[in-house]
Amino acid sequence: WPWAKTAAKSGGIAAAADVTTQWFISKGNVPEIGSSQAAVSTNLDLRRSASIGAFGFFYSGGLQRLLYQKFDTSFGTQATMQVVA
C-alpha cells in the first residue's frame, strides 16, 4: 500500500493546517513569538479538524491519485503536448 503513506501525509497536513488556522484566528490577532499571549490555550474544534484531515486523506491521498493515474493512461506521461495531438 504505497498510497497509504501519501494519504496519511496529506490528511495530517490538512488537519495540522486547520488547527494552526483556528489557533491564529481564535483571538482575532496573531500573537508575536515570545509574548505571553502565545501560551494561552484556545478552544479548538477538533471534530472540524478531524473531518478536514479525513477529507485530505481520502481526496488528496486517494481520489486525486486515481484521477491522475487515469490521466496518465489517457494522455500519456510525456511532458509535451505531442501526446494529446
Side-chain angles (χ1 to χ4, degrees):
W1 292 22
W3 61 269
K5 184 178 179 181
T6 306
K9 187 186 297 184
S10 63
I13 289 171
D18 183 61
V19 167
T20 304
T21 302
Q22 287 184 50
W23 184 75
F24 274 123
I25 65 172
S26 65
K27 298 292 182 190
N29 59 359
V30 178
E32 292 185 24
I33 296 174
S35 71
S36 61
Q37 199 179 28
V40 175
S41 65
T42 60
N43 294 328
L44 297 176
D45 187 357
L46 296 179
R47 183 176 179 192
R48 174 183 134 169
S49 297
S51 64
I52 289 175
F55 176 79
F57 180 88
F58 289 110
Y59 182 74
S60 297
L63 184 63
Q64 261 185 350
R65 181 179 173 93
L66 294 174
L67 180 67
Y68 281 101
Q69 285 177 347
K70 188 70 166 173
F71 286 162
D72 286 345
T73 59
S74 298
F75 299 116
T77 57
Q78 294 181 0
T80 65
M81 290 300 291
Q82 291 177 337
V83 177
V84 177

